[in-house]
Amino acid sequence: MGKVEERSPSVYSEGVGHAPVKRESGILSKLRAFEARMDAKLGIESEAISRKLPEDKGHVPWHHQLNMFFLWASGTMNTSCFATGFLGWEFGLTLRQSIIITIFASILGGAATGFAATFGAPTGLRQISVSRYAFGWWPNKVIAALNTIVQIGWAAVACITGGLALTAVADGHISLIVGIVILAVVATIISFFGLKAILIYERYAWFVFFIIFIIFFAETAKYTDNSTATELKGADLSGMVLSLIAIVYGSSASWQTMASDYYAHYPVNVSRWKVFLMTTFGIAIPTSIGMIAGCVVSFGMNNRADWKDVYETDGLGFLIQTMLYPRGFAKLILTLLVLSGINVNVISIYSAAISCQQFSRPFARVPRFIWVLLCFAAILGLAIGGREQLSVYLQNFLSLLGYWSTQYFIILFSEHVIFRKMNFDNYDLDAWNDPSRLPLGIAAGVAFAIGIIAWIMGMVETWYVGPLGKLIGSGGGDIANEFTFIITGLVYIPARFLEKKIVGR
């Protein structure tokens, strides 16, 4: 038991930094001892949130560095992205408009995540720990909580879409709830074993889904409707375009609050441009492939009334089964698509558990595998509760992800570029777990709070349309990301100058 605590005093101690470790007894101590034994035998990563020191990092060969791309390809090229691709059709846009928006917004959101990923190798820290250098000790707890919600939400979406596929494979003999449970259980088991197992799994999983979406294009593209013009005009058209941009951007940008989790083990001198570009396009390209496949199929329903009837009556899984030929082959594809939900869940559950450990020091003492199990329970509840309203879920959830992810980006970017001069030597990395040496976070907290007001004013959701969003077209136009980007930046930069001048850190 004592050995577990001695190896990571900065995480488990009552003090800060390198304060003496307070030995404990009781259930948590026994659980951590069990986790340490499992780590020694199976490598389940018992000290996931500890900083990875430069001298402890090994060489990462070039073929393993391809994980910078493949990890995200496996996590994003899935049935959730495919389902999101239907939204352009539902919004009344044309196929061409939907595809252009998908590509543009995916790259934009992917770039935000790519920037966040560049912090992992130089700092050796997970993304939520990196955030402390801008948000401070206390406001950063809000970021940890939001990130947990994001990852659990993503996993729930993946469970629903994967469950729909599994239900269709079984011709309805397996209920959607059972499908959701199966996906969540399998992903939880993989996440339990930690980063090493995740990287191995995700390195190869993407290829299966790349082939599947190529098959989708090959079998359905001939039916898609690329000639019907949109009935939307003027402000109504602008409103729908802005709303779809917000959704697709939110899908890609939301990964940034976990990005460096998967780069902390890389050597300090790894090229940050390589990290940025491979992460950006590792998200943007696969996301675009999945969503464009959804665009093609959804607009195909204009020419295939039978597809539309199946989609509206029985859901996404049965639509896939109907549109592919022959039927036995369609069932095979659906079976493989079930695994795509596991890909997302593996990443999301892992990062959600790490975020939970960073709420507070008492939470850090709870072993990671316990948080994995608690996240599993939350995912089940959310997925089962939202299983009948997938389209509404996607519209609301993905937009909300983008709003606060935009705030996170502008604060992190401003801190790094303006106040840290883009130099990691200006970060006191030994202080990552010491509140007395981190920023107070007043500037970030105030900017984040005011930024929330900004995106509430500009948001467009099925349950609420902000006063600024209402001004664009009859259905509203989502300008929450644009507005909160400007407002958060305008508040944070002068407030941070003032904070540094008065407080000195």
Side-chain angles (χ1 to χ4, degrees), residues 119 180 255 315 327 470:
F119 286 77
I180 288 170
W255 298 107
R327 184 177 177 84
K470 286 180 181 178

Side-chain angles (χ1 to χ4, degrees), residues 235-449:
D236 288 341
L237 175 59
S238 298
M240 290 299 102
V241 168
L242 286 168
S243 294
L244 186 58
I245 288 174
I247 292 168
V248 178
Y249 161 81
S251 171
S252 296
S254 62
W255 298 107
Q256 66 182 296
T257 50
M258 57 181 275
S260 74
D261 293 0
Y262 302 95
Y263 298 88
H265 66 291
Y266 279 91
V268 173
N269 61 354
V270 69
S271 169
R272 290 199 281 277
W273 274 109
K274 180 193 294 185
V275 171
F276 172 75
L277 292 173
M278 292 186 72
T279 303
T280 297
F281 291 103
I283 291 172
I285 293 174
T287 297
S288 295
I289 290 172
M291 288 189 183
I292 291 173
C295 293
V296 168
V297 171
S298 62
F299 281 91
M301 292 192 292
N302 290 346
N303 295 322
R304 291 292 301 265
D306 55 329
W307 289 7
K308 186 176 180 181
D309 290 340
V310 171
Y311 177 67
E312 293 178 346
T313 304
D314 300 317
L316 187 68
F318 285 95
L319 169 62
I320 295 172
Q321 183 172 272
T322 301
M323 73 189 196
L324 297 180
Y325 182 84
R327 184 177 177 84
F329 177 67
K331 283 184 173 291
L332 172 62
I333 295 298
L334 280 168
T335 303
L336 294 173
L337 275 176
V338 171
L339 299 177
S340 74
I342 296 173
N343 295 352
V344 181
N345 283 8
V346 165
I347 299 174
S348 297
I349 293 172
Y350 175 78
S351 288
I354 289 176
S355 288
C356 289
Q357 286 188 303
Q358 295 179 84
F359 286 157
S360 66
R361 286 201 179 90
F363 281 31
R365 296 188 191 101
V366 178
R368 186 182 65 84
F369 77 89
I370 297 296
W371 288 117
V372 166
L373 295 176
L374 292 175
C375 290
F376 162 76
I379 290 164
L380 280 186
L382 194 57
I384 292 172
R387 68 189 185 280
E388 302 297 342
Q389 297 290 330
L390 176 61
S391 177
V392 175
Y393 194 154
L394 287 171
Q395 290 181 48
N396 292 326
F397 176 65
L398 295 182
S399 295
L400 287 170
L401 293 188
Y403 303 155
W404 86 269
S405 294
T406 297
Q407 293 182 272
Y408 181 87
F409 169 77
I410 189 61
I411 291 174
L412 192 68
F413 181 85
S414 299
E415 179 68 26
H416 184 64
V417 173
I418 298 174
F419 300 101
R420 308 280 180 171
K421 310 300 182 185
M422 295 190 292
N423 188 344
F424 285 99
D425 290 337
N426 293 327
Y427 289 77
D428 181 3
L429 296 177
D430 291 331
W432 74 274
N433 206 38
D434 186 344
S436 67
R437 295 159 64 187
L438 291 167
L440 290 182
I442 296 173
V446 171
F448 197 80

Side-chain angles (χ1 to χ4, degrees), residues 41-104:
K41 293 179 180 179
L42 302 174
I44 67 168
E45 201 176 7
S46 62
E47 298 177 16
I49 66 173
S50 298
R51 183 183 168 221
K52 305 298 182 285
L53 299 175
E55 58 269 25
D56 295 333
K57 298 181 182 183
H59 172 67
V60 179
W62 69 267
H63 56 283
H64 284 183
Q65 291 187 28
L66 293 177
N67 275 340
M68 296 181 195
F69 184 95
F70 294 145
L71 170 74
W72 306 108
S74 294
T76 56
M77 197 158 34
N78 51 52
T79 46
S80 301
C81 282
F82 178 66
T84 305
F86 282 57
L87 294 179
W89 172 75
E90 293 185 9
F91 285 1
L93 299 172
T94 66
L95 175 63
R96 183 174 301 175
Q97 290 166 341
S98 300
I99 290 175
I100 291 172
I101 290 169
T102 294
I103 295 172
F104 167 75

